[in-house]
Amino acid sequence: RTMNKVRLAHVALFFAAGIYSGYNVLLAASLKHVSPVTFSLCRELVAIPLLYAWASRAEAPVRFPATPREWRYMASFGVVLGLFQLCFAVGVAWTSPTAAALFQCVEPSTAAVIGAAVGLEPCTLAKLGSAVLAGGGVALLQLGGGGGGGGAAGPRWRAGLGSCLLFCQGVGIATYCLLQKQLVRGDDGAASDDDDEGETGGDALL
């Protein structure tokens, strides 16, 4: 049963990757007409009610944060989500959808490195090797011009800054996933919900 859930999760992630690739192309086209801030705001205004409706049906009853620690996590989600979406939108506008898709390849290994650094997940040689391989591959493609040039025309420094923003987006989404895992699974270590003195890996990440 556990194995079936793992396989189902892998299938869902595979389809999510395909959807996200299409999203990159739509985002690049939309940014020709609206600003990154406007796009991100419209996206959230559409996504929030849809996600809430799904959660109400599939995970009822919907529970709101009940402890100070949970409220800190939720506030952190908002800050991290807003920052990495802005980084992503501006990064795509200054580079290309292909470059954005390339940088998403480093997000899993970025999450593994950050998780190990704050003690949320163990670090293994396989994870370390994947981080080096993914990061090196993206750097090689970007430096060699393989990241595509479909972004808006502009000075070379803007493309470089756009790549930096895409990397920061990867750090942001990795942090978001780690914090989300702590809250959804209740993996708060030895500290209880009412114990504000006990620091966990998630608190260290905050």
Side-chain angles (χ1 to χ4, degrees):
R1 194 176 198 180
T2 302
M3 202 62 179
N4 289 336
K5 287 186 177 180
V6 171
R7 289 175 179 171
L8 183 61
H10 288 168
V11 171
L13 289 172
F14 176 79
F15 280 104
I19 293 170
Y20 212 39
S21 297
Y23 166 77
N24 293 342
V25 178
L26 291 174
L27 173 59
S30 299
L31 290 177
K32 296 178 181 178
H33 308 286
V34 299
S35 71
V37 175
T38 302
F39 179 88
S40 297
L41 177 61
C42 292
R43 168 181 148 163
E44 294 309 310
L45 289 176
V46 173
I48 289 173
L50 290 175
L51 290 173
Y52 183 82
W54 174 265
S56 298
R57 181 175 180 82
E59 303 175 9
V62 175
R63 185 178 72 84
F64 290 93
T67 66
R69 176 171 278 124
E70 288 180 349
W71 278 109
R72 285 200 300 272
Y73 275 96
M74 293 301 296
S76 300
F77 289 160
V79 172
V80 173
L81 184 63
L83 288 176
F84 83 65
Q85 286 203 19
L86 282 176
C87 285
F88 186 72
V90 177
V92 171
W94 287 0
T95 56
S96 70
T98 304
L102 282 174
F103 273 95
Q104 288 166 24
C105 296
V106 303
E107 290 171 7
S109 53
T110 302
V113 170
I114 295 175
V118 299
L120 289 176
E121 295 182 353
C123 182
T124 64
L125 287 177
K127 290 180 180 179
L128 185 60
S130 69
V132 174
L133 186 62
V138 170
L140 184 63
L141 283 169
Q142 284 297 100
L143 292 175
R156 190 173 182 83
W157 65 263
R158 194 165 73 167
L161 183 56
S163 294
C164 291
L165 289 173
L166 290 175
F167 176 76
C168 290
Q169 180 265 344
V171 173
I173 198 169
T175 302
Y176 178 85
C177 290
L178 289 167
L179 288 172
Q180 186 181 54
K181 174 185 174 183
Q182 296 295 295
L183 187 60
V184 172
R185 294 188 179 179
D187 295 339
D188 258 345
S192 67
D193 286 337
D194 298 324
D195 183 13
D196 289 330
E197 300 299 324
E199 183 174 290
T200 66
D203 295 325
L205 196 58
L206 297 180

